[in-house]
């Protein structure tokens, strides 16, 4: 699929990059890279509504990882999917009497323009589920060949029972979350309540596709595993990819199930690291579709909010923390961006080499953007009186590269 325009990444060849440390949701702080190659799979949008600030914060966190790895000379292979066939998309299309494909493609275009405005570096491929059926069917066949697929009426399920030894929560809790996320733990005839659907037979005139498992469509978890492995598996690595990422609401069941499905189908582990970004709330409440309190990036842009101010506001707190958005946060971000722009427009500024080394150290430390932004504000204030070095341009290029802030 066409992706949005590439954001220029000014090189920082004169600076040393320590190895990136990230927080794996299971293991805690660990080194991010095994090899010079770095493979990352981020779970993308279901295109039934435009990009809200929660999405933006997630893609921003993985953008920082992408930038850091590119700048530290890794060969990054970054794949992101678009779940362009899913129940919420079909429900929204029915509700608004829209063609589901037209709705999906309109929302994907809006997502791409939001990502471009926020200077998110595009993934190497943005892969639609509807363009990946042969790859998904091949992957499901592996599960079937290894005896982990079973049929219930016309649907097919993954038998997860043998793989639940490291369930991070109780089975009862897991069942409850699984149900909230669209699972069907109570369906009669399932071997285990947590078995996820892998191929769902067509019903009620919904869209479907022919396959050796009947006419229908794939389940959510297997879409991502098939696309990730189809694009990133070198047939040797174990785990197969370096990092699977997404919002913290994807940790269970989506990423947990993805890992189990890959393990069952290929006999190897899926990802070295599972990295999750926190949720964004609004004025003390969780931002969610059901509460109707989503703040959309496109609406802020329409209201002439500078995309770099949105970016600054989202970076001002740590990516893993559940946090609140407010108009006050945007005002504070605007003031900080103004201060920094004023400093960058001076011919002489405070010491920049030390600043850039410190920014790199902040980012290498599990993307510590609050420290990096505080450091920039202090540097901008210092530059008002301590005009020693003629290197404002170097700072400007460095914060563009490292933080995606083109000021
Ligand atoms: Zn996914």
């Amino acid at each position: 699929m066409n992706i949005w325009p590439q954001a220029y990444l000014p090189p920082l060849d004169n600076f040393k990059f320590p190895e990136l440390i990230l927080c794996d949701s299971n293991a805690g702080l660990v080194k991010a890279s095994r090899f010079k190659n770095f493979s990352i799979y981020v779970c993308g949008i279901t295109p039934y509504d435009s990009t809200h600030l929660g999405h933006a914060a997630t893609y921003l966190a993985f953008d920082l990882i992408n930038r850091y790895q590119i700048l530290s000379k890794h060969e990054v292979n970054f794949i992101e999917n678009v779940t362009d066939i899913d129940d919420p998309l079909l429900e929204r299309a029915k509700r608004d009497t829209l063609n589901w494909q037209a709705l999906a493609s309109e929302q994907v275009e809006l997502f791409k323009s939001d990502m471009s405005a926020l200077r998110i570096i595009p993934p190497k491929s943005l892969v639609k589920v509807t363009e990946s059926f042969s790859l998904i069917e091949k992957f499901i066949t592996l599960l079937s060949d290894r005896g982990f697929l079973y049929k219930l009426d016309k649907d097919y399920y993954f038998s997860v029972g043998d793989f639940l030894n490291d369930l991070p929560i109780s089975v009862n809790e897991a069942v409850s979350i699984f149900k909230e996320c669209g699972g069907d733990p109570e369906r009669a005839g399932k071997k285990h309540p947590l078995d996820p659907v892998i191929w769902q037979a067509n019903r009620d005139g919904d869209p479907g596709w022919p396959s050796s498992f009947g006419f229908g469509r794939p389940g959510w978890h297997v879409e991502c595993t098939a696309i990730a492995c189809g694009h990133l598996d070198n047939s040797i690595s174990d785990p197969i990819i370096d990092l699977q990422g997404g919002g913290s609401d994807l940790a269970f069941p989506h990423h947990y199930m993805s890992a189990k499905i890959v393990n069952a189908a290929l006999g190897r582990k899926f990802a070295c690291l599972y990295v999750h970004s926190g949720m964004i709330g609004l004025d003390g409440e969780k931002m969610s579709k059901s509460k109707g309190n989503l703040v959309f990036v496109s609406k802020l842009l329409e209201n002439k909010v500078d995309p770099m101010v949105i970016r600054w506001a989202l970076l001002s707190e740590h990516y893993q923390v559940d946090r609140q958005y407010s108009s006050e946060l945007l005002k504070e971000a605007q003031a900080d961006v103004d201060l920094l722009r004023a400093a960058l427009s001076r011919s002489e500024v405070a010491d920049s080499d030390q600043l850039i080394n410190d920014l790199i150290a902040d980012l290498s430390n599990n993307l510590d953007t609050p420290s990096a932004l505080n450091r920039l504000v202090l540097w901008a204030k210092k530059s008002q009186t301590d005009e020693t070095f003629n290197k404002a341009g170097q700072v400007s290029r460095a914060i563009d590269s490292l933080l995606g802030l083109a000021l």
Side-chain angles (χ1 to χ4, degrees), residues 41 43 81 220 224 244 250 254-255:
Y41 181 86
C43 290
N81 73 308
W220 175 31
C224 277
Q244 184 180 28
L250 296 186
H254 186 48
H255 289 178

Side-chain angles (χ1 to χ4, degrees), residues 3 5 28 33 65 70 81 126 182 230-231 233 260-261 267 272 287 304 306 308 313 319 347 371:
I3 39 181
S33 329
I65 295 173
I70 293 170
N81 73 308
L126 186 67
H231 289 262
D233 186 8
K260 303 304 168 188
I261 289 170
C272 291
M287 206 182 278
K304 306 288 177 221
D306 179 343
M308 291 301 100
Y319 77 96
S347 56
S371 293

Side-chain angles (χ1 to χ4, degrees), residues 132-186:
S132 309
F133 287 123
S134 65
L135 207 141
I136 295 169
E137 185 179 3
K138 217 165 97 189
F139 195 90
I140 297 175
T141 306
L142 293 174
L143 273 180
S144 176
D145 290 349
R146 291 173 70 107
F148 293 109
L149 199 70
Y150 68 94
K151 196 174 183 188
L152 190 53
D153 300 329
K154 288 180 177 173
D155 303 319
Y156 286 84
Y157 284 84
F158 167 52
S159 186
V160 76
D162 292 346
F163 298 89
L164 293 174
N165 54 332
D166 61 351
L167 198 60
I169 43 181
S170 72
V171 172
N172 282 348
E173 267 180 282
V175 164
S176 155
I177 300 172
F178 183 71
K179 193 174 175 182
E180 277 169 34
C181 295
D184 53 359
E186 286 142 8

